[in-house]
Amino acid sequence: MPVLRLLRRNLVVIAGLLTLAYMILPNVVVMVFSFNRPEGRFNYAWQEFSLDAWKDPCGVADLCGSLSLSLRIAVWATVGATVLGTMTAFALVRYRFRARGAINSLIFLPMAMPEVVMAAALLTLFLNMGAELGFWTVLIAHIMFCLSFVVTAVKARVMSMDPRLEEAARDLYAGPVQTFVRVTLPIAAPGIAAGALLAFALSFDDFIITNFNAGSTVTFPMFVWGSAQRGTPVQINVIGTAMFVIAVALVLAGQLIANRRKSNAGK
């Protein structure tokens, strides 16, 4: 049968498209309901098209405040995790020292450990230290669990680097700093950028660890969870749609830049 033959030839493509559709479907639902005007407190049933929520995305009390707080925590957690994770990745790949194997194994623990276990452990640590729960405890917790993801991303990139490029730079009388800035860092940049983007997404999205260690601080995921108990405002869908569109735009822009560089290199 021609149809069966066509399906067999394109089975991988069809499976990939179905998987992509399954992953994007919740985002499409959020996007559609950002234009809804619900009757009552819950935005779960379509009523009529409206742009009211888009005209006033901060119309719900504390929504934009919690969003701003989540963005600040995510930015600083990304900076801290990226700097520490990049240095750790270079140390694990380039140097030989005692307990190197143990550290390599411990790096994967936060990724394998259930979040509730890590959240409870961090809470116990902060309480034993007498730390006041709030912005700083959340930031430290986010840096700690994002660190492993950055190390893994950067480490994979550093391991694939050709050491002969750095040797060539030193043969051309480049100093250690100049070699790192001009050769090593640009080659490792894609891995560092991937780790930073992953850390930002994980930090901004986290709820369990934040909920344990936030005290009276309310981040955007915590605001969404609290709102779901008493009524979900349409503005939450607006913020979610905006974040999704920005993320897709960044991915597409990065892909276009990479393709342009490849075409220029081919010339």
Side-chain angles (χ1 to χ4, degrees):
M1 294 289 291
V3 177
L4 292 177
R5 193 179 301 114
L6 182 64
L7 289 175
R8 289 174 183 174
R9 289 179 180 176
N10 301 280
L11 183 60
V12 175
V13 176
I14 294 172
L17 291 175
L18 290 175
T19 304
L20 184 62
Y22 177 77
M23 294 173 62
I24 293 179
L25 182 61
N27 297 288
V28 174
V29 173
V30 169
M31 190 179 301
V32 170
F33 276 84
S34 69
F35 297 98
N36 187 30
R37 179 183 288 167
E39 294 180 359
R41 297 178 300 168
F42 296 97
N43 185 26
Y44 298 151
W46 179 263
Q47 300 297 330
E48 61 176 309
F49 181 86
S50 174
L51 292 173
D52 293 344
W54 282 94
K55 293 177 182 177
D56 188 17
C58 295
V60 179
D62 299 326
L63 187 150
C64 284
S66 63
L67 176 63
S68 174
L69 178 63
S70 284
L71 289 173
R72 281 189 285 128
I73 291 174
V75 168
W76 286 113
T78 300
V79 172
T82 302
V83 172
L84 293 175
T86 300
M87 292 191 295
T88 304
F90 271 95
L92 290 173
V93 174
R94 296 292 180 84
Y95 299 97
R96 300 290 183 269
F97 53 88
R98 289 183 179 179
R100 178 171 171 269
I103 293 175
N104 266 319
S105 301
L106 289 173
I107 287 295
F108 290 97
L109 275 182
M111 294 188 290
M113 185 185 303
E115 275 197 69
V116 66
V117 176
M118 187 173 183
L122 287 168
L123 176 61
T124 303
L125 173 66
F126 292 137
L127 292 178
N128 286 334
M129 293 175 60
E132 182 180 355
L133 299 181
F135 176 87
W136 292 107
T137 54
V138 173
L139 178 59
I140 293 170
H142 282 208
I143 291 175
M144 290 185 70
F145 81 81
C146 289
L147 186 61
S148 297
F149 295 91
V150 176
V151 171
T152 303
V154 178
K155 185 181 172 186
R157 182 65 179 179
V158 175
M159 291 178 67
S160 66
M161 291 171 56
D162 189 350
R164 291 175 296 182
L165 296 174
E166 294 169 289
E167 293 173 2
R170 289 192 291 268
D171 289 340
L172 294 172
Y173 304 103
V177 176
Q178 192 174 14
T179 301
F180 179 79
V181 173
R182 296 290 185 87
V183 179
T184 308
L185 191 59
I187 297 175
I192 297 173
L197 290 174
L198 185 59
F200 182 87
L202 290 169
S203 175
F204 181 82
D205 184 59
D206 182 76
F207 172 78
I208 297 177
I209 293 176
T210 304
N211 191 43
F212 270 71
N213 298 281
S216 59
T217 303
V218 179
T219 61
F220 184 68
M222 295 175 65
F223 178 87
V224 173
W225 180 82
S227 298
Q229 310 305 310
R230 56 184 182 273
T232 308
V234 185
Q235 282 81 355
I236 289 178
N237 296 66
V238 173
I239 299 299
T241 301
M243 297 295 293
F244 175 72
V245 171
I246 292 172
V248 171
L250 289 174
V251 171
L252 292 177
Q255 191 64 41
L256 289 174
I257 293 172
N259 292 338
R260 184 172 297 179
R261 286 179 177 176
K262 287 181 180 179
S263 61
N264 292 336
K267 295 178 181 179

